[in-house]
């Protein structure tokens, strides 16, 4: 490569150098993390075999090479066999002084949009949950009175009328259970941050799921054994994974399905705040299921409170997950098509 190696290594976005036959000549360290591969393993590999883009770019790519002009592509999903796709922008240009060679830079857009959305969602959720907590407290007291009155009335009713009082008691208890979930969402304590082995968390969640709500599921472990310790609250992270496993199990239905728990290290992944500061989130956990996928109508709002894809769902499970991950300084995203839904958690590493 004719460029200064230090410049190549310093590029903050994934970059790929391509030869005249569309084979990969080199990738920088950010691309190694993005594609979850090593540079040595992809040298000589055809570009379009390694990088999956949901847009027919080969023809436009060839024209850019033939005419010596740059090519800019916005809002396309880019992935590989080792990672779920992310929405990205692509910048492609001929490499000056090297006829036929091209450089492609990949800029993930999902992170920036999620941070902006997450900030507004958290503000809205704070107000919504504050109001819900107040209402929950006020509603639970009269509900207790209604339940007690129905039980007293049932003592003097003939058997054919007991169905009505039983319905009152059952529905009152269901409402109380929902209100308790609202209160739990608002009262979640600040995480106690300490070194956590995420594989221990995943194993506890897997065993718990298989003994209960996920008994009909097959759960596959696909772990990076060299993954370092995360910085987080083990109990709260367990709650996150259990929620994701429960959602996947319920989506699969009584016939069951397969869930893959995947962990890996992505050293180039950083969360950048609006003020320009940021921190590294290199530990990646993916919960991947082969269910029907998320309904299109809620894909963009799935982490909002009271948004649910299930009939009679409370819409608090994923909102709680989002809140816990956010309180950890982490990031959560989802990609979903029929047959594969991937929830990805990105967490900070514990200090050495």
């Amino acid at each position: 490569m004719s460029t200064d190696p230090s410049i190549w290594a310093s590029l903050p976005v994934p970059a790929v150098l391509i030869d005249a036959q569309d084979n990969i000549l080199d990738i920088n360290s950010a691309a190694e993390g993005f594609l979850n591969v090593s540079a040595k393993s992809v040298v000589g590999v055809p570009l379009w075999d390694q990088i999956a883009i949901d847009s027919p770019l080969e023809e436009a790519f060839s024209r850019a090479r033939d005419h010596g002009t740059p090519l800019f592509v916005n809002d396309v999903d880019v992935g590989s066999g080792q990672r779920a796709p992310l929405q990205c922008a692509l910048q492609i240009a001929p490499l000056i002084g090297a006829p036929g060679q091209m450089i492609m830079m990949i800029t993930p857009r999902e992170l920036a949009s999620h941070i902006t959305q997450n900030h507004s969602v958290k503000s809205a959720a704070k107000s919504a949950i504050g109001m819900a907590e107040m209402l929950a407290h006020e509603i639970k007291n009269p509900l207790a009175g209604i339940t007690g009155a129905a039980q007293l009335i049932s003592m003097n009713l003939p058997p054919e009328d007991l169905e009505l009082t039983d319905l009152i008691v059952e529905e009152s208890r269901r409402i109380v259970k929902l209100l308790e979930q609202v209160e739990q969402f608002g009262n979640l304590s600040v995480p106690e941050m300490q070194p956590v082995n995420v594989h221990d968390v995943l194993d506890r969640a897997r065993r718990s799921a298989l003994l209960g709500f996920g008994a009909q599921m097959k759960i596959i472990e696909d772990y990076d054994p060299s993954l370092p310790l995360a910085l987080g609250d083990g109990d709260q992270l367990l709650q996150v994974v259990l929620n994701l496993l429960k959602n996947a199990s319920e989506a699969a239905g009584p016939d069951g399905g397969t869930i893959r728990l995947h962990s890996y290290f992505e050293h180039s992944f950083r969360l950048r705040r609006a003020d320009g500061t940021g921190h590294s989130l290199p530990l990646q956990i993916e919960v991947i299921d082969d269910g029907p996928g998320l309904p299109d109508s809620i894909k963009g709002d799935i982490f909002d409170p009271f948004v649910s894809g299930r009939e009679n769902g409370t819409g608090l499970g994923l909102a709680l997950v989002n809140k816990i991950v956010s309180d950890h300084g982490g990031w959560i995203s989802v990609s979903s098509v029929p047959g594969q839904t991937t929830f990805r958690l990105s967490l900070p590493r514990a200090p050495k």
Side-chain angles (χ1 to χ4, degrees):
M1 192 175 76
S2 57
T3 53
D4 185 336
S6 64
I7 296 176
W8 179 248
S10 300
L11 286 174
V13 297
V16 183
L17 187 65
I18 305 136
D19 69 14
Q21 287 74 44
D22 288 354
N23 296 319
I24 296 174
L25 282 173
D26 197 8
I27 61 175
N28 68 347
S29 58
E32 286 183 303
F34 179 80
L35 298 172
N36 197 26
V37 295
S38 68
K40 288 182 180 179
S41 70
V42 296
V43 171
V45 173
L47 173 69
W48 309 114
D49 288 352
Q50 181 61 46
I51 298 178
I53 301 173
D54 73 335
S55 179
L57 285 184
E58 290 92 333
E59 199 173 313
F61 187 84
S62 296
R63 283 200 303 270
R65 173 187 280 124
D66 294 342
H67 298 150
T69 56
L71 173 66
F72 300 92
V73 184
N74 290 320
D75 301 328
V76 291
D77 286 341
V78 181
S80 73
Q82 283 70 44
R83 63 153 310 132
L86 287 177
Q87 190 174 74
C88 301
L90 302 178
Q91 297 89 35
I92 302 167
L95 190 66
I96 295 174
Q101 293 186 21
M102 305 284 282
I103 186 168
M104 174 192 290
M105 291 190 292
I106 305 167
T107 307
R109 289 187 178 274
E110 186 179 3
L111 180 58
S113 63
H114 181 82
I115 293 168
T116 304
Q117 179 189 20
N118 190 44
H119 179 73
S120 60
V121 166
K122 283 180 69 178
S123 300
K126 216 169 185 180
S127 301
I129 292 300
M131 177 66 72
E133 279 188 283
M134 181 188 71
L135 288 173
H137 179 73
E138 295 299 323
I139 293 171
K140 282 172 72 176
N141 288 333
L143 272 176
I146 292 170
T147 303
Q151 289 171 327
L152 287 173
I153 292 172
S154 68
M155 296 171 64
N156 300 312
L157 287 177
E160 60 270 17
D161 292 333
L162 287 178
E163 184 179 348
L164 298 175
T165 53
D166 287 347
L167 178 64
I168 294 172
V169 172
E170 183 181 335
E171 289 299 295
S172 296
R173 286 175 176 167
R174 188 177 66 83
I175 296 170
V176 168
K177 188 176 179 181
L178 173 59
L179 295 175
E180 287 173 347
Q181 289 183 52
V182 172
E183 290 178 324
Q184 178 196 21
F185 187 98
N187 293 331
L188 192 68
S189 60
V190 175
E192 297 182 12
M193 305 293 276
Q194 55 189 347
V196 175
N197 185 326
V198 296
H199 295 152
D200 287 347
V201 172
L202 294 174
D203 189 55
R204 287 168 60 196
R206 181 187 62 83
R207 285 187 282 115
S208 179
L210 291 174
L211 290 172
F213 57 78
Q216 81 282 17
M217 303 297 291
K218 178 182 180 183
I219 303 180
I220 299 171
E221 298 167 295
D222 181 13
Y223 300 158
D224 176 356
S226 64
L227 203 68
L229 297 177
L231 183 64
D233 184 313
D235 289 338
Q236 291 194 13
L237 291 177
L238 176 63
Q239 194 172 359
V240 165
V241 179
L242 281 172
N243 266 292
L244 296 178
L245 291 176
K246 189 170 188 289
N247 281 353
S249 300
E250 290 176 346
D255 294 334
T258 300
I259 301 172
R260 183 161 69 99
L261 297 175
H262 181 211
S263 70
Y264 60 98
F265 193 85
E266 188 170 319
H267 58 80
S268 63
F269 195 97
R270 294 185 63 82
L271 180 69
R272 187 168 296 278
R273 303 186 185 92
D275 61 4
T277 62
H279 60 281
S280 177
L281 299 175
L283 274 65
Q284 313 302 317
I285 299 171
E286 291 181 338
V287 179
I288 307 164
D289 70 71
D290 60 356
L294 297 173
D296 291 336
S297 59
I298 65 168
K299 276 184 181 178
D301 307 314
I302 194 65
F303 296 112
D304 292 7
F306 311 116
V307 174
S308 176
R310 296 193 312 274
E311 188 178 353
N312 298 323
T314 64
L316 289 175
L318 288 177
L320 180 63
V321 164
N322 191 31
K323 182 178 189 298
I324 292 173
V325 174
S326 179
D327 287 347
H328 277 70
W331 174 61
I332 182 169
S333 67
V334 62
S335 62
S336 182
V337 294
Q340 180 169 311
T341 296
T342 301
F343 283 91
R344 179 185 181 192
L345 310 175
S346 303
L347 299 171
R349 178 179 182 173
K352 293 182 180 178

